[in-house]
Amino acid sequence: MDNNEKGHPADYNEDEARLAGLGYKQNMKRQFSGLQNFGFTLTNSSVLIGIVPLFTFGLNTGGPVVAIWGWLMVAFFVMFIGLGMAEICSTFPTAGGLYFWTAKLGGPKWGPMFSWYEAWFNMLGQFAGCSGSVLSAATFLNTMIKVWEPEYIADGKKNFYIMAAMMILAGIINTAGGRALKVASLVSVAVHIFGTIAIIIVVLVGAPKLQPASFVFTEFQDHTGYTEAGASTVLVFCLGLLQSQWSMLGYDASAHMSEETEKSYVNGPRGILLSIFASVCIGLGLALSMTFGIQNYDDTRLSALGAGPQIFVDCAGKTGGSILIFLIVFAGFLCGIATVAANSRMLYAFARDGGLPFSPYWTVLNKRTQMPLRLVWLSVVVVIILALPALGSAAVLSAISGISIIGFTVSYAIPILLRITVGADEFVQREFNLGRWSKPIGWVACIWTAFIFIIFNLPQSWPVEDMELFNYTPAAVGFLLVFTTSSWFLSARHWFKGPISEIALQELDGKAPAPALINEKQEVVEEIK
């Protein structure tokens, strides 16, 4: 489209016009390319900080069969979720992401209530995911010390303090502005792709011996106590999927960064799908190499270093192993930077619609960076608070992972479910669309979400005798359900109306929005009443 045609000033921008069509002014600076958006999303899903820290959990809960075949199974169903999200993102490219999608797809009747639940569940997933990722990085930093000083005690307190320091540094980098985030995003792409390739090569080349293919693809071991109690191995396999599912989350970051991304209606969906595809490929290579590189199964799973670091040291020695461990530390730190950025944008969108206490305070953008820095630091504080259980235990990662998975996947499924039910007739497909496959793909995504919601709320070992191994996911999810439900019916339903249009459709500081946004059958600027 010619920027100088009648009705469009010279600086007319399609992204800005589409955002206006959805009811918002371009307040944040649109400064990130499609590659940088992909970088944020790939970092949020972070295969390195997903597979390696939970490798001990995987060896105890199914072993190689779960690590390899479980990865492929999860990847298959996650792609359905990603496709459903990408289609909606192309139509609604806003920082509110899933929260905004839910409100629009639910319509005046269901939109406000479902978007209330959506916002809180997405925040739970975002904050728990960030907390678990950076806590893993802190734990691995302690592990590096233990590699050289075997008598060193890497307890939960030390993990927590290091994690808190990393989060503060992540907040400082976010505060520095767009240039710092761009650099962090590109560095993260290099670390997650080339760093993973380096780990794969070093482990396979340096391993004193490689396990046979029969071990890698067929060995099943259960150390949870379930099969001894008479439970089916299928249940143990399903519980072991936690390792893989934890590694394939956070790809909604592409949507949350859309108001700062060029051509977000294309690059947003692309970022979601490319990050999933890249994660699947490099994650499978990483899982295969680490499984082939196991030297002694029991020694590895019971190692004081953790299974992942033990494999690195066995295959690369102390020095090489320490370098590989540091790659995980760095990846976790970069993940913290990216998730703080995504969290703050989600909170910003929720707050500008009045969803947070003292919303006018939180929605103030920094004049220098045009970013919601108050929400950046709110995110840092909440993430640190979520890691407090680490003070009393060094074994909280699997529980935090479960909480993050539930929060994320439920928030992913809600707009997809509304897209194929109550919002089906009003939804307008844009540049990326699934055509007639939207409904079947959406139903598969929702059924998978319901399945893992049940599985990951179950105890992760049996019987539950050691409180350090207690799965407090049901407690966290239950608390959130009670909070959101009670707050909605007692208070929020009287004042929370979902997304509120900042501008009329014909207003964009003197710029005309795209005509297509006016003529097609979507409610672009309606305040839900």
Side-chain angles (χ1 to χ4, degrees):
M1 182 180 293
D2 185 357
N3 286 349
N4 294 314
E5 69 175 289
K6 186 176 180 180
H8 300 303
D11 59 347
Y12 166 78
N13 180 279
E14 179 72 10
D15 278 304
E16 192 171 352
R18 292 199 183 205
L19 186 61
L22 299 174
Y24 295 112
K25 292 181 180 180
Q26 184 66 57
N27 293 319
M28 292 187 284
K29 186 176 180 181
R30 202 171 287 272
Q31 57 188 319
F32 301 125
S33 66
L35 177 61
Q36 289 156 349
N37 180 286
F38 165 71
F40 283 119
T41 313
L42 183 67
T43 305
N44 268 264
S45 53
S46 189
V47 165
L48 284 175
I49 208 66
I51 290 178
V52 182
L54 284 177
F55 210 73
T56 301
F57 176 87
L59 293 183
N60 286 323
T61 317
V65 165
V66 175
I68 308 305
W69 297 111
W71 179 264
L72 293 173
M73 178 178 172
V74 169
F76 176 78
F77 287 107
V78 163
M79 187 56 73
F80 282 86
I81 298 175
L83 286 168
M85 290 172 58
E87 181 179 54
I88 304 173
C89 182
S90 185
T91 299
F92 302 125
T94 71
L98 301 102
Y99 149 75
F100 183 92
W101 307 348
T102 299
K104 289 300 180 184
L105 293 168
K109 182 178 181 180
W110 299 107
M113 182 180 73
F114 275 103
S115 63
W116 179 257
Y117 280 89
E118 172 66 39
W120 288 104
F121 266 94
N122 191 242
M123 282 190 280
L124 176 69
Q126 294 273 7
F127 288 130
C130 185
S131 184
S133 298
V134 184
L135 185 60
S136 296
T139 302
F140 271 55
L141 189 59
N142 261 326
T143 300
M144 282 181 60
I145 300 173
K146 194 171 183 62
V147 168
W148 296 93
E149 299 290 338
E151 302 302 318
Y152 177 75
I153 300 175
D155 58 20
K157 289 184 179 179
K158 292 173 183 174
N159 292 340
F160 175 80
Y161 295 144
I162 294 173
M163 179 267 189
M166 286 183 170
M167 283 305 307
I168 292 172
L169 183 55
I172 292 172
I173 292 174
N174 270 268
T175 303
R179 181 172 297 178
L181 286 178
K182 289 177 184 178
V183 171
S185 174
L186 296 177
V187 169
S188 181
V189 171
V191 168
H192 281 86
I193 295 178
F194 299 111
T196 304
I197 293 173
I199 291 175
I200 293 171
I201 294 173
V202 170
V203 169
L204 293 178
V205 173
K209 67 173 183 178
L210 293 175
Q211 294 289 344
S214 59
F215 171 85
V216 173
F217 294 106
T218 65
E219 180 72 14
F220 180 90
Q221 293 200 23
D222 172 33
H223 298 277
T224 65
Y226 269 105
T227 53
E228 291 180 9
S232 169
T233 55
V234 174
L235 174 61
V236 178
F237 178 88
C238 292
L239 291 171
L241 296 176
L242 178 85
Q243 179 187 14
S244 299
Q245 186 69 65
W246 163 246
S247 304
M248 287 190 242
L249 294 172
Y251 36 90
D252 58 316
S254 184
H256 295 308
M257 303 301 294
S258 62
E259 289 185 32
E260 298 165 82
T261 301
E262 300 167 354
K263 295 186 177 179
S264 55
Y265 45 91
V266 173
N267 287 324
R270 185 178 294 164
I272 292 172
L273 296 177
L274 285 179
S275 67
I276 294 175
F277 180 76
S279 295
V280 170
C281 293
I282 62 179
L284 179 60
L286 182 61
L288 283 168
S289 66
M290 293 183 66
T291 307
F292 273 113
I294 295 172
Q295 299 304 295
N296 181 284
Y297 197 96
D298 286 334
D299 289 348
T300 300
R301 75 178 185 84
L302 296 173
S303 171
L305 299 177
Q310 186 62 55
I311 293 170
F312 294 163
V313 173
D314 287 344
C315 297
K318 283 188 176 181
T319 301
S322 297
I323 294 173
L324 298 186
I325 293 170
F326 180 74
L327 280 175
I328 308 302
V329 175
F330 195 34
F333 173 63
L334 291 169
C335 185
I337 295 172
T339 49
V340 164
N343 292 354
S344 62
R345 273 55 172 186
M346 165 60 198
L347 288 172
Y348 173 76
F350 193 41
R352 72 182 171 188
D353 294 328
L356 290 181
F358 312 109
S359 287
Y361 173 81
W362 297 117
T363 52
V364 173
L365 297 177
N366 180 267
K367 292 182 179 179
R368 177 180 62 85
T369 64
Q370 291 181 267
M371 293 179 177
L373 297 188
R374 293 177 180 179
L375 290 170
V376 163
W377 287 101
L378 177 63
S379 300
V380 169
V381 171
V382 173
V383 167
I384 292 174
I385 290 173
L386 273 178
L388 282 173
L391 288 170
S393 169
V396 299
L397 179 59
S398 60
I400 292 179
S401 303
I403 293 170
S404 179
I405 290 170
I406 297 299
F408 268 126
T409 52
V410 169
S411 70
Y412 294 168
I414 291 175
I416 294 175
L417 179 62
L418 293 176
R419 155 72 184 94
I420 59 178
T421 54
V422 298
D425 292 337
E426 297 300 318
F427 183 77
V428 177
Q429 293 178 320
R430 294 292 183 182
E431 280 77 2
F432 180 88
N433 69 80
L434 302 174
R436 61 191 177 89
W437 292 101
S438 291
K439 286 192 176 182
I441 287 173
W443 280 117
V444 172
C446 292
I447 291 170
W448 174 253
T449 300
F451 167 72
I452 62 175
F453 182 92
I454 295 170
I455 290 296
F456 296 148
N457 271 296
L458 297 176
Q460 295 167 346
S461 62
W462 192 265
V464 183
E465 296 174 340
D466 187 349
M467 290 308 295
E468 279 205 348
L469 302 178
F470 177 73
N471 182 13
Y472 58 88
T473 300
V477 174
F479 172 79
L480 183 65
L481 280 171
V482 171
F483 167 77
T484 51
T485 302
S486 59
S487 61
W488 173 256
F489 285 102
L490 294 176
S491 176
R493 68 188 180 95
H494 299 297
W495 52 267
F496 181 72
K497 305 302 179 183
I500 299 173
S501 300
E502 293 181 325
I503 52 179
L505 190 60
Q506 69 272 18
E507 297 174 352
L508 182 58
D509 295 333
K511 303 172 188 176
L517 292 175
I518 303 175
N519 298 328
E520 294 185 355
K521 57 173 184 177
Q522 63 174 331
E523 299 172 7
V524 287
V525 237
E526 179 186 10
E527 289 189 23
I528 301 173
K529 297 182 180 179

